[in-house]
Amino acid sequence: MPENPRTSAVLAASPEPDGRHVRGNRTRHALLEAAFDEIYEQGFRSASLNEILRRAGCTKGSLYHHFPDKHALGVAAAAEFIGAYIRDVWIEPLRATADPLATIRAIIERHAHGGIGVDPRFGCPYQNLSQELSGIDAGFQEIFTDLFERWRGAIADALARGQAEGTVRTGIDARAVATLIVASHQGVVSMIKATQDLEVGHAAATAFFDYLESLRP
């Protein structure tokens, strides 16, 4: 992804001559971006609609023109911005690589050194929201499940490609390893947030890189 996960989600101005359509798209995007920021900082249940409107520079009328309620706005914001985050940080770099282990290492290094546009001490947007709402909100749960499957699938596909290219051992179960990689990454992110200590991530990365090298032929 670009350095900031939201940059890939910015709407380009529509070429259509109807200025109302362009303004509507921009308003919708402003609401989504403001909602994502507020939810990331406060959590969904504590997020304030008034604060979202203030951040977006929009009226309640504009909000309800695009979204029926706070829940619909939150689900859309999570799908758009967390989806962009996972796509740009993980899926796109892995899409065509012949050496997925090196690519995964580079992604983890960016995380460990704060190079992904999100301070690791604040936690992962996906993890924060899923921990708050998984199991109690079907709308958000559907988003979390879809994002996880895309994330894991991208890693598994890359590992299978690496097996075909001779950069990954043929004896491994690519899907199982992909599951472990996502779970390990999310566990380390959780511990960094819990301890507010970036060295936790650096120490875990060293051991994780040894594991990645064990997957080579």
Side-chain angles (χ1 to χ4, degrees):
M1 357 185 231
E3 288 306 308
N4 190 309
R6 76 191 52 191
T7 58
S8 61
V10 174
L11 295 172
S14 169
E16 296 181 20
D18 187 352
R20 291 171 299 178
H21 181 77
V22 176
R23 289 193 297 273
N25 280 348
R26 288 174 176 167
T27 297
R28 184 178 187 277
H29 177 74
L31 287 165
L32 288 171
E33 184 171 33
F36 178 78
D37 287 342
E38 175 72 1
I39 291 167
Y40 182 50
E41 294 171 11
Q42 306 297 332
F44 175 73
R45 285 174 289 189
S46 296
S48 164
L49 267 182
N50 287 335
E51 180 61 16
I52 290 171
L53 292 173
R54 186 195 68 77
R55 288 174 184 253
C58 297
T59 65
K60 282 189 177 180
S62 296
L63 169 65
Y64 293 122
H65 174 74
H66 292 282
F67 303 98
D69 50 33
K70 174 185 171 182
H71 183 269
L73 174 61
V75 169
E80 181 151 346
F81 285 101
I82 300 178
Y85 176 92
I86 292 173
R87 182 190 68 232
D88 293 344
V89 169
W90 287 90
I91 296 176
E92 288 302 325
L94 287 167
R95 190 179 299 280
T97 181
D99 190 350
L101 301 178
T103 302
I104 292 167
R105 175 172 182 146
I107 293 169
I108 296 298
E109 286 176 335
R110 289 185 65 204
H111 275 277
H113 294 95
I116 56 167
V118 175
D119 189 328
R121 291 169 296 186
F122 297 155
C124 168
Y126 175 91
Q127 186 179 104
N128 289 355
L129 202 54
S130 63
Q131 287 180 341
E132 179 185 3
L133 297 172
S134 287
I136 64 173
D137 189 294
F140 278 100
Q141 184 65 59
E142 184 177 349
I143 295 297
F144 303 144
T145 301
D146 176 66
L147 292 175
F148 171 69
E149 290 299 338
R150 283 194 271 160
W151 188 356
R152 176 172 62 175
I155 297 173
D157 289 347
L159 290 172
R161 191 183 318 112
Q163 288 175 316
E165 295 285 346
T167 59
V168 177
R169 277 197 289 116
T170 57
I172 70 165
D173 181 330
R175 187 170 176 83
V177 171
T179 304
L180 178 62
I181 288 172
V182 174
S184 298
H185 170 66
Q186 289 289 280
V188 173
V189 169
S190 178
M191 290 309 301
I192 292 173
K193 182 179 179 181
T195 62
Q196 290 293 290
D197 183 0
L198 294 176
E199 288 304 314
V200 171
H202 297 156
T206 298
F208 185 73
F209 296 156
D210 288 342
Y211 169 69
L212 289 180
E213 288 303 310
S214 76
L215 301 178
R216 292 198 179 278

